[in-house]
Amino acid sequence: MSREAVVILDFGSQYTQLIARRLRELQVYSEILPPRTRASELRRRAPKGIVLSGGPDSVYAKGSPHCDPRIFEIGVPVLGICYGMQLMAHTLRGDVRRAGRREYGQATFEASNRSPLLEGLRPQARVWMSHWDSILGAPPGFAVTGTSGTNPVAAMEHPARRLYGILFHPEVVHTEGGTRVLANFLDLCGCSRDWSVGAFVDEAVARIRSDVGEGRVICALSGGVDSAVAALLVHAAVGDRLTCVFVDNGLLRRDEAGQVRRRFAKKLRLDVAFVDASRRFLLRLQGVSNPERKRKIIGREFIEVFQAAARKVRGAAFLAQGTLYPDVIESTSVKGPSAVIKSHHNVGGLPRSMKFKLVEPLRELFKDEVRKVGLRLGLDEEFVYRQPFPGPGLAVRCLGPVTRERLALLREADAIVVEEIKAAELYRSLWQSFAVLLPVRTVGVMGDDRTYQYTVAVRAVESADGMTADWARVPYDLLARISSRVVNEIRGINRVVYDISSKPPSTIEWE
């Protein structure tokens, strides 16, 4: 590793990414690797410390993930969390058994001995547990440093070997003093805690210059934060040897193409090639209602349009895209690639025949870190904190056939939702808030006339990362204002409903 870092071996916990984010918040770069990463590979990377994540399995279960036992001999501090602690105990000849009852959720942790790892933690702390197995006896040479209601060994350590284990999850907000425990571990690792967004920007720009040399780069600018920040990093490195391509597919929000032109071409002085392919996309989508077909058509058409635009950029040998760290993690996690819930269209689907070398300056960052980089590079806050927008655009929020007329209704409804959410000062606190046009007409009354018009659903969710989400309990008065404006200002919609489904079992987008 070229920088000071802590490695996390991922045993399948839903909180693994959260561990990485907490360590980065403590200004230490962290990297997630597969559980079976060899000790020799870890020695080559020379991390300051290693964290074994939690996981849903039992160390005794058939096919459960294990680690190279030689990692405990590398000499750097190792912290086992939940399953990671159980695996450490099991590998080093401790007594791990199935507990009489599962310990899940809030529990009381009692520190039983002084420990530098637990320094600053209350003697009796409320912590978050998520396990079934229990450690009845610590491995030889280990001291027990904490217990819980059902676990005689809830924390253990072997200071001479620099090995530590805790059965609770310090990375979740439900654990009192959890951040302090992680900070203590970083101190035990001897970390200088100097990783920052500023240092990342300098390093990323230098790396892009080295990789690209005197070459030319193209970047697909979607209008979203990720592609925008990637483009700005590349531009800082290569200047006018970057050409951005913005494809207007006719599925964008109100005035989105105009905003991109004003923000990136005029204000930030990027070289942006604008391609209006809206007629082409709408023609291909004519009569298509199946959401997967919509996505595949949009992805295919985007590739063809982008290829044609790229051929006009003479000498371009590199393709920049805004791949984020969660995308990288999904392909290397203990569980392997996630099941396909719905396909996603992005530049990563470009065919090999294009023969571009990839430039992915954000592949080490989480979304919140990308936003900080964007602010540092001069993007305005309103844009940086823009809510996520799906790659296929309004096509997957316009349920049923996609037509120019139905898209126009949806654009106006969506604009009203966003305007009212912002006016209520809730926009930044919500992960997403938008309108969905349903392929359903209902009877209504306006004045003395009967109407038979479309229904709009309003969706607003709270989430930390989009992986799980809960529907937002927005004020009734706000919903009333949105409903009143939509049915009064948009001719063709006479009913508004509110979506109160969480993810899971639902997804955030309807299609």
Side-chain angles (χ1 to χ4, degrees):
M1 291 181 176
S2 61
R3 63 162 78 95
E4 182 179 86
V6 169
V7 161
I8 302 163
L9 298 188
D10 178 17
F11 293 95
S13 170
Q14 61 182 315
Y15 305 127
T16 299
Q17 289 192 34
L18 195 51
I19 300 172
R21 292 176 66 173
R22 292 287 181 260
L23 296 181
R24 292 188 185 192
E25 288 167 3
L26 291 166
Q27 293 184 274
V28 173
Y29 179 73
S30 57
E31 186 173 1
I32 298 173
L33 297 177
R36 295 192 181 276
T37 301
R38 292 182 178 274
S40 57
E41 170 62 14
L42 292 175
R43 287 183 190 275
R44 186 189 69 79
R45 290 172 174 265
K48 298 289 285 187
I50 300 169
V51 176
L52 310 181
S53 84
D57 296 290
S58 164
V59 293
Y60 296 110
K62 185 178 180 180
S64 62
H66 285 240
C67 63
D68 183 342
R70 292 171 295 179
I71 69 170
F72 302 114
E73 310 299 329
I74 291 176
V76 300
V78 180
L79 172 63
I81 295 175
C82 194
Y83 179 87
M85 176 185 175
Q86 294 165 356
L87 182 59
M88 179 187 291
H90 176 66
T91 304
L92 299 177
R93 295 181 294 117
D95 185 7
V96 183
R97 299 186 189 181
R98 175 57 59 89
R101 66 184 179 88
R102 189 176 183 185
E103 193 168 40
Y104 182 83
Q106 288 282 4
T108 300
F109 172 82
E110 296 188 27
S112 54
N113 283 300
R114 288 188 61 82
S115 163
L117 179 70
L118 304 176
E119 188 70 34
L121 202 64
R122 292 169 53 191
Q124 290 190 327
R126 298 294 291 171
V127 299
W128 187 263
M129 298 280 198
S130 179
H131 62 90
W132 202 314
D133 289 348
S134 286
I135 301 171
L136 301 185
F142 277 74
V144 176
T145 55
T147 62
S148 71
T150 60
N151 287 277
V153 185
M156 64 182 192
E157 64 182 51
H158 194 313
R161 296 180 67 181
R162 308 179 80 184
L163 304 180
Y164 306 86
I166 48 177
L167 208 51
F168 60 87
H169 287 271
E171 67 274 21
V172 303
V173 295
H174 310 291
T175 292
E176 293 177 345
T179 300
R180 177 67 186 270
V181 172
L182 292 175
N184 290 340
F185 178 68
L186 295 178
D187 290 341
L188 290 167
C189 294
C191 294
S192 57
R193 312 257 295 263
D194 59 359
W195 189 78
S196 67
V197 165
F200 168 82
V201 170
D202 294 340
E203 185 180 305
V205 169
R207 187 166 58 243
I208 294 166
R209 283 185 183 141
S210 174
D211 292 344
V212 172
E214 296 301 314
R216 294 194 64 85
V217 187
I218 60 171
C219 176
L221 197 63
S222 69
V225 176
D226 303 339
S227 66
V229 175
L232 288 176
L233 275 173
V234 174
H235 186 254
V238 305
D240 60 8
R241 286 183 286 117
L242 167 70
T243 298
C244 297
V245 177
F246 178 82
V247 177
D248 183 352
N249 57 14
L251 306 168
L252 304 175
R253 290 166 287 196
R254 190 171 70 182
D255 192 36
E256 192 147 21
Q259 290 176 20
V260 169
R261 190 182 298 274
R262 291 189 294 272
R263 177 173 285 116
F264 297 103
K266 294 185 178 179
K267 182 180 177 182
L268 296 172
R269 305 292 183 184
L270 295 185
D271 177 17
V272 184
F274 289 87
V275 181
D276 184 356
S278 55
R279 188 172 179 276
R280 171 177 177 157
F281 276 82
L282 293 179
L283 189 62
R284 300 291 191 277
L285 288 168
Q286 190 172 347
V288 177
S289 296
N290 182 279
E292 276 301 293
R293 280 197 63 204
K294 287 181 187 177
R295 288 174 177 270
K296 288 175 180 174
I297 289 169
I298 293 165
R300 184 179 66 244
E301 293 304 311
F302 175 83
I303 289 169
E304 292 184 6
V305 171
F306 186 82
Q307 277 183 306
R311 282 193 288 267
K312 297 177 182 178
V313 182
R314 298 185 61 181
F318 296 86
L319 171 66
Q321 62 182 35
T323 305
L324 302 191
Y325 196 38
D327 303 323
V328 178
I329 293 169
E330 284 186 4
S331 65
T332 58
S333 72
V334 60
K335 298 301 181 185
S338 301
V340 176
I341 306 301
K342 50 192 176 186
S343 61
H344 293 264
H345 122 267
N346 53 41
V347 187
L350 291 171
R352 293 180 181 177
S353 60
M354 291 191 72
K355 296 181 180 178
F356 284 113
K357 295 176 183 176
L358 282 181
V359 177
E360 297 175 309
L362 307 179
R363 63 182 285 114
E364 298 176 335
L365 300 186
F366 291 103
K367 188 78 170 186
D368 54 336
E369 295 169 327
V370 171
R371 289 184 168 128
K372 291 175 184 176
V373 172
L375 290 173
R376 189 175 184 87
L377 292 173
L379 281 173
D380 52 281
E381 275 200 27
E382 182 182 7
F383 178 78
V384 166
Y385 289 101
R386 208 173 181 196
Q387 294 174 355
F389 186 62
L394 295 179
V396 292
R397 294 179 181 174
C398 183
L399 277 57
V402 179
T403 66
R404 195 176 298 275
E405 294 72 27
R406 297 185 75 230
L407 285 171
L409 294 176
L410 178 55
R411 270 193 199 94
E412 294 307 309
D414 186 72
I416 289 172
V417 171
V418 173
E419 286 169 10
E420 291 297 333
I421 292 288
K422 286 182 175 179
E425 299 183 346
L426 293 174
Y427 187 80
R428 287 273 294 271
S429 65
L430 296 174
W431 178 260
Q432 280 177 271
S433 49
F434 55 88
V436 180
L437 185 68
L438 307 185
V440 175
R441 295 183 189 232
T442 66
V443 173
V445 178
M446 288 189 181
D448 294 323
D449 293 331
R450 173 186 184 275
T451 61
Y452 189 59
Q453 297 175 341
Y454 284 109
T455 300
V456 157
V458 175
R459 180 74 157 143
V461 298
E462 297 172 337
S463 177
D465 50 21
M467 299 177 72
T468 61
D470 192 17
W471 62 277
R473 276 66 170 174
V474 299
Y476 288 161
D477 288 348
L478 172 58
L479 293 176
R481 285 195 300 274
I482 291 172
S483 177
S484 177
R485 284 193 61 190
V486 167
V487 298
N488 282 290
E489 295 178 23
I490 306 173
R491 188 171 183 177
I493 299 172
N494 67 358
R495 191 176 300 271
V496 177
V497 299
Y498 188 58
D499 183 349
I500 59 169
S501 309
S502 297
K503 175 188 179 180
S506 302
T507 54
I508 296 176
E509 299 289 344
W510 279 45
E511 289 190 342

